[in-house]
Amino acid sequence: MAVETERLFVGGVWRDAAGTFDDVNPATGEVWRAVADGDADAATDAVEAALAAQPEWAALPHDQRAKVLIEAMGAIGDLQDTLVEALVDEGGSWIGKAMFETGFVAGTAQAAAVAAHMVTGELLPSDHGKVSMVVREPVGVVSVITPWNFPLLLSMRAVAFALAVGNAVVLKPSEETPLAGGVLVAKIFEAAGLPPGVLNVVTCSRDRVAEVGEVLVGHPAVGAVSFTGSTVVGREIGALGGRHLKKVALELGGKDALVVLDDADLDRAVGAATFGSFMHAGQICMSTERILVDAAVAEDFTERFVAKAAALTVGDPRSNIIGPVINAKQADKIRRHIDDAVAQGATLRTGGDNDGLFFEPTVLDAVAPDMTIWTEETFGPVAPVITVSGEEEAIKLANDSEYGLSAGIITADEERGLSVARRLETGMVHVNDTSVYDEPNAPFGGVKSSGLGRHGGKAAIEAFTRTRWLTLERGGRLYPF
């Protein structure tokens, strides 16, 4: 049976590319869509369309830009069934995760509409009686490059805020989720009445990622780049952006810790560990990939956690919590991490097997810092448990990582939790919650190898605008000759 073909969206027009690539359903292995395989020329056309459309969009009163974002909220609701279908069939999302994601992006559009009203400047004192003003303006054209794990959410959080403050956008979604991360985003804003050219979407295969990315970062018209993805690629984009003097916002990998202190409520701790480790089969940048448990409660915690993990069902994501991982490359990495840990002395407490892309929820005990699974991001449904002797060792091991995205702390003492939180080297910490948490108005991002810059709320306004200093001379300035 023939599959539908999805096209590029450039200058407000849906258009074909020279060829297409296969969009595969990871749960079935079947080709789900044929997708336009854009190239450097298509990317250049998209940037130029954005450049032409941006001044008029930026000149609109901020309430009119906000109105388009509010209309986008309605379009998300109208397209919800289509969005959920794409997240499940294209990305392998558990249906509960897919429904959450569509709800979250509606909130993101709302938060971005609010941000349109929050682009403010300031008046400065002047030594010479000038009117001295700092104004904030859009950077012009923003390139947004997004991953496959939360494709709709991660595209919308950058696109919506960039549009709200007056930029035009070129969006390149992951080749694994081109519909949920790109084509449907274009359809949302097309339905919302966004003027042609203000948002452009260029899909491409893995073979063309480098040439399209070169244009989206290096084109002289691009003022800022938002990238979410791996640290390896993020470093390349950051280096290229620096070479071309672009603003960059990079949200990269994580090896996030959940710290369970000796006074923890173990029901809450087990719930936080289960959600943080196994939501979307562990394929989240904030996933809990190291669970540091105080020796005083480690045995009780681990027994409860293993029982809860073993009860999670695996299979078709429409009816099972643990669906497939995204592709064979990712499955091979997860397999390597598990096998290496067990070979070096870790104890397999539950799971450990896989059927193709479907991995059992896996809990490993007695994990040590010299194992691959300790240092590398796994991005799968695997939870390493490490027993620690007190708070100081927990903090030391939590910080023993090149990454620094998010963390969770479980304790009965909130003051103690905040004290520990301040000593963790991460961009975000959640006391009495898992490492997996976000809100559209919060400054989301990491430190160390987890990224640079922030998305969300006021931080997004900063990411997608630049400041200028303007003065009005009122006669107090005298020249020396």
Side-chain angles (χ1 to χ4, degrees):
M1 184 176 67
V3 296
E4 295 181 40
T5 299
E6 306 293 346
R7 296 180 291 174
L8 309 175
F9 188 66
V10 178
V13 176
W14 294 97
R15 73 183 219 190
D16 294 324
T20 63
F21 66 97
D22 291 342
D23 186 6
V24 176
N25 181 331
T28 66
E30 297 175 350
V31 175
W32 188 65
R33 290 285 195 281
V35 181
D37 193 5
D39 56 13
D41 289 340
T44 300
D45 290 347
V47 172
E48 292 176 352
L51 179 65
Q54 189 270 334
E56 186 174 350
W57 171 246
L60 287 176
H62 63 273
D63 62 330
Q64 292 189 32
R65 293 199 304 274
K67 183 179 179 181
V68 172
L69 273 300
I70 296 298
E71 291 295 327
M73 287 180 61
I76 291 166
D78 293 340
L79 290 168
Q80 183 175 18
D81 290 346
T82 301
L83 296 171
V84 168
E85 178 186 25
L87 291 167
V88 173
D89 289 339
E90 179 182 58
S93 294
W94 169 47
I95 194 166
K97 177 262 189 187
M99 295 178 71
F100 159 80
E101 190 168 350
T102 57
F104 192 97
V105 297
T108 300
Q110 183 180 41
V114 172
H117 298 263
M118 296 172 61
V119 183
T120 58
E122 59 181 322
L123 289 175
L124 303 177
S126 170
D127 292 341
H128 298 282
K130 291 176 178 287
V131 177
S132 181
M133 301 174 287
V134 178
V135 298
R136 188 172 289 279
E137 298 177 347
V139 299
V141 176
V142 175
S143 292
V144 176
I145 303 171
T146 56
W148 49 263
N149 57 330
F150 272 76
L152 180 62
L153 187 160
L154 296 174
S155 290
M156 184 63 73
R157 75 168 181 186
V159 168
F161 279 93
L163 294 176
V165 298
N167 298 289
V169 174
V170 180
L171 168 63
K172 191 208 81 66
S174 168
E175 63 277 8
E176 302 284 1
T177 51
L179 194 68
V183 172
L184 290 175
V185 176
K187 291 184 177 181
I188 287 168
F189 282 103
E190 185 180 38
L194 186 70
V198 178
L199 173 63
N200 307 271
V201 175
V202 179
T203 54
C204 70
S205 65
R206 188 179 300 275
D207 292 340
R208 295 193 183 276
V209 164
E211 66 175 278
V212 170
E214 178 74 33
V215 174
L216 296 188
V217 180
H219 194 291
V222 173
V225 180
S226 167
F227 172 79
T228 304
S230 72
T231 296
V232 171
V233 177
R235 290 184 191 279
E236 294 177 358
I237 288 176
L240 185 58
R243 191 181 312 147
H244 292 286
L245 301 180
K246 313 287 188 183
K247 293 189 74 171
V248 293
L250 305 173
E251 195 258 284
L252 309 176
K255 193 68 182 176
D256 304 314
L258 178 68
V259 177
V260 182
L261 297 177
D262 56 6
D263 62 349
D265 176 334
L266 292 189
D267 287 337
R268 173 166 288 278
V270 169
T274 304
F275 179 82
S277 300
F278 303 122
M279 173 65 168
H280 195 31
Q283 299 174 113
I284 308 175
C285 57
M286 299 174 284
S287 287
T288 301
E289 294 208 1
R290 294 177 300 157
I291 304 171
L292 307 173
V293 189
D294 192 280
V297 295
E299 184 176 352
D300 193 2
F301 167 85
T302 304
E303 288 181 359
R304 297 192 200 187
F305 180 46
V306 167
K308 191 156 188 175
L312 300 176
T313 58
V314 182
D316 182 345
R318 279 187 165 77
S319 53
N320 295 276
I321 292 175
I322 308 295
V325 298
I326 192 66
N327 56 36
K329 180 181 178 182
Q330 188 60 30
D332 290 344
K333 181 180 184 181
I334 297 166
R335 180 78 270 151
R336 175 170 58 86
H337 281 199
I338 295 172
D339 292 347
D340 174 79
V342 172
Q344 294 196 61
T347 303
L348 184 63
R349 296 294 298 268
T350 189
D353 290 333
N354 66 295
D355 181 5
L357 302 186
F358 291 89
F359 273 82
E360 294 176 340
T362 299
V363 178
L364 294 167
D365 199 0
V367 172
D370 57 352
M371 297 176 183
T372 302
I373 201 167
W374 177 270
T375 56
E376 291 186 11
E377 187 177 30
T378 304
F379 232 60
V382 184
V385 178
I386 304 94
T387 300
V388 298
S389 299
E391 184 178 301
E392 291 300 318
E393 185 180 13
I395 294 168
K396 179 182 177 181
L397 291 179
N399 289 336
D400 180 25
S401 175
E402 69 168 303
Y403 298 105
L405 186 57
S406 185
I409 301 166
I410 310 297
T411 175
D413 184 340
E414 289 185 344
E415 184 175 347
R416 182 186 186 191
L418 287 173
S419 176
V420 172
R422 291 187 179 98
R423 296 175 63 189
L424 297 184
E425 298 167 356
T426 60
M428 305 170 288
V429 186
H430 307 294
V431 177
N432 284 323
D433 202 354
T434 181
S435 57
V436 179
Y437 188 66
D438 190 15
E439 293 186 21
N441 65 332
F444 189 99
V447 297
K448 300 196 287 189
S449 292
S450 287
L452 179 70
R454 297 292 184 268
H455 290 89
K458 292 181 180 179
I461 297 173
E462 168 66 27
F464 300 128
T465 60
R466 57 190 169 211
T467 56
R468 298 182 68 203
W469 181 35
L470 306 178
T471 70
L472 294 173
E473 170 56 40
R474 292 291 177 83
R477 170 71 165 156
L478 300 177
Y479 301 113
F481 57 85

